[in-house]
């Protein structure tokens, strides 16, 4: 019907074009998730600190980031940061788009992870906090030992769901020409004159990975429901 | 040991403690009772500054709770507290619940904290459950672990905030037994409870509070229970109601 011919696709193409992009997409997802959760937790703690000089900037940051399309943030960061910045990072000058993408994703996802962690922290009862305080723990000990571990545990399914969305969003780095999974397929498609087939295959890979992860999250959720 | 002088506290415009004064000597067991909303829980929560108060003075073992310079976490670590809803840490095992604050707050070595914690776990009769998680224990067992956790810190006094109110009736006894043992060993205790049997058996004094956060009665147990004619009308009314059944 569409005259699709998938026969051009072979191991040679995978190893030459796809693997490199796939690896970068995974790398970007993992770094953005870990970095986003760490930065997001700090932002959440700032917002919940009850101190205006900490809460206000964090609120502005989170709401600002969440009100702008990701692709714009990716573009702006790439266009506004001078080349000299990348020279500071080893191997940076040759991977401007990739490094720019990683920094942008961490900064952007932190806003979303911060909202998740904030909900998680608020889900811990006042009683738990009081129990920690009554035992003589300081605010930071209480956060580190009592509140955050429980908040994190409660939020694991939602954090993973956000990671899946993040993985899909990594394809937006096409806007700045970073070499990710999508770019790998599209490059191969262009060279072999099989653009439609290449995009179709890319979609299949994204689908399989995200569907598989979603399934795992669902199983994990059921397991957590039993433990509680 | 604990000294309160004209303590008042407001939530916004609502007054929850009204000029409360009392003092608790070493080894005394003071039972605090009264209708809900009378500020009983708040009265004991201001002692270790879990709740701030706006007026008055509180001294715990000579330390001024109302003084902003006082190291409150340190003061709290010396006063044990048991909560209505147990508040064990659900992500930690029983032994971790017992040792966490000993290690992090008192700076004890893990082995030392473990030996110490297990001593009290044994005392509340739950040695067999040491490796379980709070979610695997019954309410009564959780509350006994919570008592052991507070005792592991070697407190100079213990505060109990309605320790049996959230329990199934058949589990109230085991927790009260635990507390009576503690009282008989000479622990200084302040207990918010409706368990009048406990007050009669081991209480030294009874404080009765009424709506608006006022201390209406503060007298010896015998005076409180044996001479109802000397009580205020409001107290008599309350006692008649809760002792009627």
């Amino acid at each position: 019907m569409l005259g699709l011919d998938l026969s051009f696709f072979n191991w040679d193409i995978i190893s030459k074009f796809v693997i490199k992009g796939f690896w970068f997409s995974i790398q970007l997802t993992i770094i953005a998730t870990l970095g986003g959760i760490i930065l997001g937790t700090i932002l959440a703690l700032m917002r919940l600190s009850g101190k205006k000089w900490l809460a206000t900037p964090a609120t502005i940051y989170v709401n600002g980031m969440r009100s702008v399309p990701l692709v714009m943030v990716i573009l702006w960061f790439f266009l506004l940061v001078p080349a000299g910045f990348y020279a500071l990072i080893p191997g940076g000058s040759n991977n401007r788009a990739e490094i720019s993408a990683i920094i942008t994703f961490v900064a952007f996802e932190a806003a979303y992870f911060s909202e998740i962690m904030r909900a998680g922290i608020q889900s811990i009862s006042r009683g738990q906090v009081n129990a920690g305080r009554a035992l003589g723990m300081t605010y930071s000990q209480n956060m580190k030992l009592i509140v955050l571990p429980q908040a994190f545990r409660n939020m694991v399914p939602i954090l993973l769901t956000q990671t899946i969305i993040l993985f899909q969003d990594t394809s937006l780095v096409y806007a700045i020409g970073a070499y990710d999974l999508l770019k790998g397929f599209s490059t191969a498609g262009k060279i072999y004159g099989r653009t439609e087939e290449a995009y179709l295959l890319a979609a299949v890979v994204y689908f399989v990975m995200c569907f598989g992860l979603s399934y795992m999250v669902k199983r994990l959720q059921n397991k957590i429901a039993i433990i509680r | 040991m604990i000294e309160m002088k004209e303590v008042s506290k407001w939530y916004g415009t609502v007054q929850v403690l009204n000029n409360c004064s009392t003092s608790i000597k070493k080894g005394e067991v003071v039972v605090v009772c009264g209708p809900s909303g009378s500020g009983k829980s708040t009265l004991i929560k201001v002692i270790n500054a879990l709740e701030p108060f706006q007026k008055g003075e509180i001294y715990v073992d000579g330390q001024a709770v109302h003084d902003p310079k006082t190291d409150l976490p340190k003061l709290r670590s010396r006063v044990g507290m048991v909560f209505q809803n147990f508040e064990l840490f659900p992500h930690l095992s029983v032994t971790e619940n017992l040792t966490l604050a000993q290690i992090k707050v008192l700076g004890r070595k893990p082995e030392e904290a473990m030996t110490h914690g297990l001593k009290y776990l044994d005392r509340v009769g739950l040695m067999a459950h040491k490796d379980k998680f709070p979610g695997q224990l019954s309410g009564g067992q959780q509350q006994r672990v919570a008592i052991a956790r507070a005792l592991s810190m070697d407190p100079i006094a213990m505060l109990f905030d309605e320790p049996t109110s959230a329990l199934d009736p058949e589990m109230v006894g085991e927790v009260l037994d635990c507390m009576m043992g503690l009282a008989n060993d000479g622990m200084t205790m302040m207990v918010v409870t409706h368990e009048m049997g406990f007050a009669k058996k081991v209480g030294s004094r009874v404080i009765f509070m009424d709506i608006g956060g006022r201390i209406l009665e503060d007298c010896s147990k015998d005076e409180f229970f044996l001479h109802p004619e000397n009580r205020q009308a409001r107290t008599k009314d309350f006692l008649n109601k809760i002792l009627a059944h």
Side-chain angles (χ1 to χ4, degrees), chain B residues 90-108:
Chain B
H91 60 302
L92 302 176
S93 69
V94 167
T95 48
E96 286 166 334
N97 264 283
L98 293 170
T99 56
L100 181 71
Q102 289 190 65
I103 297 167
K104 301 288 180 183
V105 176
L106 302 179
R108 288 182 181 153

Side-chain angles (χ1 to χ4, degrees), chain A residues 125-139 141-142 144-147 149-150 153, chain B residues 45 48-50 73-74 76-77 79 81 83 87-92 100-101 104-105 149-150 153:
Chain A
S125 73
R126 185 86 203 135
Q128 282 285 302
V129 178
N130 272 346
R133 291 169 74 207
L135 285 164
M137 288 189 211
T138 58
Y139 179 83
Q141 282 177 326
N142 221 344
K144 197 172 91 189
L145 302 167
I146 309 300
V147 179
Q150 292 187 64
R153 193 186 65 167
Chain B
K45 279 184 181 146
N48 61 353
L50 280 188
K74 190 163 180 213
R76 289 190 195 110
S77 73
V79 180
M81 185 149 198
F83 298 85
E87 304 299 351
L88 292 177
F89 304 129
H91 60 302
L92 302 176
L100 181 71
K104 301 288 180 183
V105 176
R149 177 175 73 179
M153 300 291 284

Side-chain angles (χ1 to χ4, degrees), chain A residues 12 39 66 88 94 101 103 128 135 142 160 178 200 203 224 226:
Chain A
D12 204 33
L39 200 58
R66 278 159 39 100
L88 300 173
N94 298 326
I103 296 170
Q128 282 285 302
L135 285 164
N142 221 344
L160 286 175
L200 184 65
I224 289 175
I226 293 168

Side-chain angles (χ1 to χ4, degrees), chain A residues 17-33:
Chain A
F17 300 102
V18 178
I19 294 261
K20 181 181 155 200
F22 179 76
W23 176 230
F24 177 68
S25 288
I26 297 291
Q27 240 182 338
L28 181 56
T29 305
I30 292 172
I31 296 174
T33 302

